[in-house]
């Protein structure tokens, strides 16, 4: 099985700092890339047979595709400003050029496209937010591309978790094609840490023990979740942001809790 932790590579000779493909991950659906561009640098790609969601994690940019000509979009210089991001959805058989107006950190989220959805700008006003959990299991969510909004395969969300809290917890999984009980969704976690020298712990494990890995994810690392449970724990002094990309044969987020820990959702676990 491929390694589940992809370490950040500094953009010394290439603007690409993360590159996850179905081939490198050993799965079928999710592709994920991150680029760090200096002001004035450009990034161009053809979407080919993939739909793409560009998420401006930080910075401002112009983005031009076959149908869109967007000028100076973006409203945060760091994800830890906790503003909602700007994003752009592009269908398969499209192309884009992104020009950085400031230093830019952009995530390129990919999954199989079917050509049924038009390109569009996703503004902060288009993005819903919600707080989840209680006690030491609280997090805040920005739903960038949820299943209620049009796309062919992609689901994209960003999550904030304060120091000392758990996230993606109680442990849950979505690795069986058994809707509406559960759907098969591959998933990537792009981790950002504040202050940046910190790290979070993430465990990926299956009930049969075939996968059981615990990882220290540092700033700008990616954890891949091919199947199984995948909780995250933060440490004192360090706040967490992660960008999730999910995709599978059924574009619905249906998951099941690990029964041993589901009591954390109940009244038995207080505020």
């Amino acid at each position: 099985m491929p390694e589940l932790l992809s370490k950040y590579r500094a953009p010394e000779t290439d603007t690409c700092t993360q590159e996850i493909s179905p081939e490198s991950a050993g799965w079928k659906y999710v592709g994920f890339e991150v680029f760090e561009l200096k002001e004035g640098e450009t990034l161009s790609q053809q979407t080919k047979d993939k739909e793409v969601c560009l998420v401006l994690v930080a910075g401002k940019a112009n983005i031009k595709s076959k149908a869109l000509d967007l000028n100076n979009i973006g409203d945060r210089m760091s994800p830890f400003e906790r503003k909602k991001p700007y994003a752009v959805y592009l269908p398969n058989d499209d192309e884009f050029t992104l020009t950085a107006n400031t230093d830019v950190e952009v995530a390129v989220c990919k999954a199989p496209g079917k050509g049924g959805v038009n390109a569009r700008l996703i503004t902060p006003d288009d993005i819903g937010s919600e707080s989840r959990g209680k006690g030491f299991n609280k997090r805040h969510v920005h739903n960038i591309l949820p299943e209620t909004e049009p796309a062919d395969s992609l689901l994209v969300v960003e999550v904030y978790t304060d120091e000392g809290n758990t996230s993606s917890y109680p442990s849950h999984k979505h690795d069986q094609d058994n809707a509406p009980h559960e759907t098969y969704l591959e998933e990537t976690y792009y981790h950002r840490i504040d202050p940046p020298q910190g790290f979070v712990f993430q465990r990926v494990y299956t009930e049969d023990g075939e996968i059981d890995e615990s990882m220290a994810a540092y700033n700008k690392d990616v954890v891949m979740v091919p199947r199984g449970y995948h909780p995250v724990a933060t440490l004192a002094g360090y706040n967490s942001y992660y960008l999730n990309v999910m995709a599978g044969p059924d574009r619905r987020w249906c998951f099941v809790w690990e029964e041993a820990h589901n009591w954390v959702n109940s009244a038995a676990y207080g505020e």
Side-chain angles (χ1 to χ4, degrees):
M1 174 175 292
E3 294 288 332
L4 301 185
L5 179 64
S6 176
K7 300 297 294 180
Y8 170 71
R9 64 183 191 221
E12 296 173 352
T13 59
D14 185 357
T15 59
C16 184
T17 63
Q18 288 286 355
E19 187 175 12
I20 311 297
S21 67
E23 293 75 21
S24 68
W27 57 30
K28 294 176 61 177
Y29 294 95
V30 171
F32 181 74
E33 299 163 355
V34 179
F35 295 85
E36 293 182 9
L37 290 81
K38 297 295 185 182
E39 181 179 353
E41 290 185 323
T42 62
L43 169 67
S44 296
Q45 287 190 2
Q46 295 182 342
T47 63
K48 299 182 181 179
D49 61 346
K50 309 296 185 186
E51 64 175 359
V52 170
C53 182
L54 303 173
V55 180
L56 285 169
V57 178
K60 298 183 179 184
N62 300 337
I63 298 177
K64 185 175 178 60
S65 72
K66 289 181 178 179
L68 302 175
D69 192 357
L70 306 170
N71 292 310
N72 206 36
I73 63 170
D75 189 37
R76 65 187 191 190
M77 295 300 104
S78 164
F80 291 101
E81 292 178 18
R82 299 205 176 199
K83 298 177 180 178
K84 296 175 184 176
Y86 278 77
V88 174
Y89 174 85
L90 299 169
N92 55 290
D93 298 321
D94 204 338
E95 59 190 35
F96 71 87
T97 296
L98 181 152
T99 303
N101 294 338
T102 65
D103 288 355
V104 164
E105 179 182 351
V106 60
V108 183
C109 315
K110 300 180 178 182
K114 303 172 186 175
V117 183
N118 293 328
R120 69 184 187 276
L121 171 66
I122 301 170
T123 72
D125 289 342
D126 300 321
I127 295 172
S129 63
E130 59 182 310
S131 294
R132 299 176 186 167
K134 57 183 178 177
F136 293 100
N137 190 45
K138 292 177 181 176
R139 58 272 194 211
H140 189 73
V141 179
H142 292 158
N143 292 304
I144 299 168
L145 193 58
E147 62 188 74
T148 54
E149 298 299 323
D152 291 326
S153 303
L154 280 170
L155 297 164
V156 183
V157 62
E158 61 180 19
V159 179
Y160 293 91
T161 310
D162 290 337
E163 60 170 310
N165 279 251
T166 52
S167 195
S168 291
Y169 188 79
S171 302
H172 68 278
K173 71 181 184 75
H174 37 74
D175 59 16
Q176 300 295 316
D177 190 8
N178 185 29
H181 177 68
E182 186 177 359
T183 47
Y184 173 83
L185 293 168
E186 303 158 356
E187 186 168 17
T188 53
Y189 279 68
Y190 176 56
H191 288 283
R192 296 283 266 104
I193 317 296
D194 182 38
Q197 71 270 25
F199 60 92
V200 297
F201 285 113
Q202 184 159 21
R203 184 184 179 201
V204 180
Y205 62 104
T206 56
E207 291 177 328
D208 61 9
E210 183 175 347
I211 298 175
D212 193 348
E213 293 194 29
S214 296
M215 293 156 278
Y218 282 78
N219 193 42
K220 302 181 181 180
D221 289 350
V222 173
V223 172
M224 289 162 275
V225 183
R227 53 195 174 92
Y229 304 104
H230 40 278
V232 175
T234 67
L235 298 177
Y238 296 96
N239 295 317
S240 158
Y241 162 98
Y242 54 78
L243 178 67
N244 283 142
V245 180
M246 292 184 284
D250 187 345
R251 190 175 176 261
R252 285 185 287 176
W253 185 47
C254 302
F255 63 89
V256 294
W257 304 105
E258 185 177 17
E259 188 56 38
H261 309 303
N262 196 17
W263 69 273
V264 174
N265 287 321
S266 72
Y269 179 69
E271 292 296 331

